[in-house]
Structure formats: C-alpha cells, structure tokens
Amino acid sequence: MSNFYETMLNNNLGRSLLKTAGLPTPIDLKRYNPSQETYFEGKVLVGACKNAALLGDLFRNLKASKATVYFPAAAKTAADILAAANKAGVRAIGVETKKGMSEKFDAFVFDASGFESGADLNQLYYFFNPVMRQLNSNGRALVLGRPHMKAATGEQAAAMRALEGFTRSVAKEIGKKSSTSLTIYVEEGAEANLDSSFRFAISAKSCYVDGQTITVSKAAASEYPDWHKPLAGKVALVTGAARGIGESIARTLARDGAKVLGLDIPPAEKDLSRVIAEIGGEMLLADISSKEAPQQISDKLKEMGGGDIIVHNAGVTRDKTLANMPEHWWNMTIDINLLAEEHINDALLANGTLNKGGSIICVSSMNGIAGQLGQTNYAASKAGVIGYVQYMAPVLAEKGFTINAVAPGFIETQMTDAIPFMTREVGRRLNSLSQGGKPVDVAETIAFFGNPASNGVTGNIVRVCGQSLVGA
Ligand SMILES: NC(=O)c1ccc[n+]([C@@H]2O[C@H](COP(=O)([O-])OP(=O)(O)OC[C@H]3O[C@@H](n4cnc5c(N)ncnc54)[C@H](O)[C@@H]3O)[C@@H](O)[C@H]2O)c1
C-alpha cells in the first residue's frame, strides 16, 4: 500500500475520483486466515446436470465445511441434488432462483460431469443466469466436468471443453468484485481424489488463481488431512528460499506443518538464516546450477528422512533483446531455471531420496507462456519447465509421484516495486481482479500441490495471475 494509487484506493474520495476517471478500483482479495475454522464458511448454491456423477463427492466435502447449502428448487435435477445431500448428511435448502431474489451467495458450484453434447450447455445458462448478480464479493463460481480428451464422443468432448470457455468468461464478468471462476476436470474413477482441488478452489487460498482449470486424475484414495496442518510430518525442499516468492513458499509450507529445507546461494546466507530460524527449518547454501548441488541436496534431504515436497523456485532473469544478449546470460538463465531442476530431480530419483507419494513442484512463469520482449532466454527456460512437467507427469505417476507447475503473473515483490510507476500500474491492473498477487498466493497453490490429498493432481500448470490478459 505504499504508492499513490494504493493511497487513493484506500480512501472514499480517492476511490470515487479513480472511478470517475474510469480507472479500476479493485476490492481487496480475501486470503486464508489461520483462525478460520475450516476451508469454507458461507452460502453455496449447488446445481447439477442430468446424470451428474460428482454430487456425492461435492457433498462429502461440503459436509466438512461450514457451508450453508442451497439448490434451485425448480431445477429438473432438484430431486437428485437433494438425494445426494441427504445421503451425505448435508442439509440442503431449496430456493427459487430468480433475478432480484433476496438471497446472496458466496459460491456457485455446478456439476456438469453428465453433459453429453453441446446441447446440454444451456443448463449452465439456466443455473447461472438468474443468480449472477447474487454473488458476494470474493465469491467463487466453480464448474466440475470430465477431461474432454477422455470423452466418449466428439460431441461430449466439445461440451466438456466448452466449460473452460464458459468459466474463463464468467471470471471476467465477476472479477471486478474480486470473485473468481475455475473449472475442475475429474477423470472417471478419480472422484475420490477430488477433495484437495475442490477445497482449494472454493477457499480463500485460491484467491489469485482465476480463469484456470485443474485436472484430477485417478490415484490411490486418500483422506484429506487436517486443513490447517495438511503437511504435518512432511519434509519440503524450497530452492531460492531467502527472499521473495521462495521465502513465502518456505513460510507457508512450514505454517502447514512441513519441515523445510531452505536453499539459496552463499551471498544470501544472512537472509536465508533469518527465514529458516523463524520457521524452525534447516538450510543449505548452494548454487543449484553447480555440479555438486544435486548430490548435496540429496544427501541433506536423506539426513532429514527423505524429501516429500520438492519446490524448484530459484530462478533468475537476465533480460536483453536476443540481438544484444551476451552468451553467458543466455546460458546462466537456462542452467538455473531449467537444467538445474532436471539434474536435481534425476539425483533425487536415482538415490531414492523422494519419499513415497512425493510431490515435485516447479515454478514457471506467465512470460514462459506468453513470451516477453527481452526475455527469450527466460521465456524459453520457463516454457521448458512446462514441457518437462507435462512429459514427466505420466512417467512419475508410475512411481506414485506427482509433478506440477505454477505460472505466476504479476506478483508484488521488491522486484516489481522497482518497476517504473506507469509500467508497474499497467502490469498490476491488466487482469480480471485489477490488482497484483502476493507471494503467498503462489505459495498457497504450491502447498495445494504438495498436499498429500493432491495425489491425483499431476501434470497441471496453474497460472497464479488473477486471469492476466498476458498470454491468456
Ligand atoms: N516475481 C514475479 O512476479 C514472478 C513472476 C513469474 C515467475 N516468477 C518466478 O518465481 C521464482 C521466484 O521469483 P522471485 O520474484 O521471488 O525472485 P527473487 O529474485 O526475489 O528470488 C529468487 C531467489 O532465488 C535465489 N537464486 C537465484 N539463483 C540461484 C541459484 N543458482 N542457486 C540457488 N538459489 C538461487 C536468489 O538468491 C533469490 O533468493 C523465480 O523462478 C521466478 O522466475 C516470479
């Protein structure tokens, strides 16, 4: 809140001046608060299509929250929704959904898993249209479906892929209220693995993850651990933990119960020691792109009982147009941002350092998806990370490991504070939520991937960007 724009946003006169000038006046995002009792508290309206397969799983999760559950009483599937709620022991209240109704909601959830063709899409319209103005700020509009590439017919694939276009557009419509929209695709047979994705998506932890999809694959059934300490007993490596996003990842994983091994380069020793002392973790000083680093990391993790969560966060930018790029800048960026991760993973796998159910999480970037002037080296490295994650997901799944990536957008750090005012304001506002994210938003997404109940979540690339227009 240190700049002029933020100061204006923080008082009524300033806000109305910004509004008059046609400038965005975003509502603060509601983030996770450890004092909250459970992952969601509020009013949720549940809808479903014919033959919806995920209602039982939805209600199993809502039962574990403090949600007050409603459903459209006049919907053709009202009896199915009520039956599923009753079976799960959830009290569901039928309401007449219509424009101008008095009831307001904190979340809409629609189970579209039974869609067979594009002709079914009108059910989205019938569910959402009457209530679109009834969503409170910081609300959620979630749609559940099946991955289109595993559909039974081309028509069904079209209907499932359509969900993504729908939620991305809903996200743009509700973003001004700091509300977000996501699609969760659940493979057949993966219903029991839905829990961590649904709870993350509906909770405040996903507040800057907007217009995204999460795919849940079939994995061994797992119980959701304690919402406040889901990583209890786990050992997590975080590279680049001395500052910025890496520091926040280390703090968040420790908050969630993990024992953190924070790694950074020797010149960052002072900052790293401070972070590690505050979270009661362990530290390792190393350059991840050095030849020795993979073995050093493996040895240190072994001492700690093996690694459960491996977060490849350390990264550098060395920006120049390709025409002006020095060779060593090119090589350094690729070595640190891409090759080091591969070498470390190779060593951990070869030495058996990754514990059963282990989770590898890479940090890509929106610019790796979109490309950026002066960042051929950086964008190549970060796009390479995406290719690596997508290729390795099925390979590692055979060993019971997961691998995912986050792709941050404009995240408020010391680095972004140093960008000139106008450029910074454009970067910060050019998304559906009209604000930058915080390092903790990236960290929460990483903690979700590392959650042992996310064992069905692999090969996902989730942007943490408030639905930035860049590369969308
Ligand atoms: N800040 C953003 O808006 C943003 C956006 C997209 C992606 N990212 C990515 O997020 C990650 C963290 O970014 P940040 O903004 O916190 O950066 P940062 O520069 O503030 O922090 C990076 C950390 O990594 C460490 N590091 C760098 N090279 C290393 C090496 N060879 N070995 C070990 N440690 C090394 C640094 O010392 C530093 O502590 C990076 O991978 C970055 O590319 C950031």
Side-chain angles (χ1 to χ4, degrees), residues 445-466:
T445 310
I446 286 172
F448 148 62
F449 284 141
N451 186 321
S454 295
N455 56 340
V457 179
T458 194
N460 279 261
I461 313 297
V462 171
R463 290 170 54 136
V464 186
C465 68

Side-chain angles (χ1 to χ4, degrees), residues 49-60:
C49 65
K50 211 171 95 199
N51 298 326
L54 299 165
L55 279 173
D57 306 286
L58 270 178
F59 285 118
R60 176 182 69 248

Side-chain angles (χ1 to χ4, degrees), residues 322-338:
L322 187 54
N324 291 326
M325 174 94 55
E327 184 188 0
H328 69 282
W329 277 23
W330 176 275
N331 288 334
M332 180 188 186
T333 307
I334 302 287
D335 285 352
I336 294 173
N337 294 2
L338 180 61

Side-chain angles (χ1 to χ4, degrees), residues 27 87 134 214 234 280 404:
I27 298 169
K87 200 167 166 205
Q134 307 307 120
I214 295 170
K234 303 290 176 193
N404 295 282

Side-chain angles (χ1 to χ4, degrees), residues 357-372:
S359 166
I360 299 175
I361 303 144
C362 301
V363 178
S364 177
S365 165
M366 190 174 73
N367 288 355
I369 294 168
Q372 185 59 270

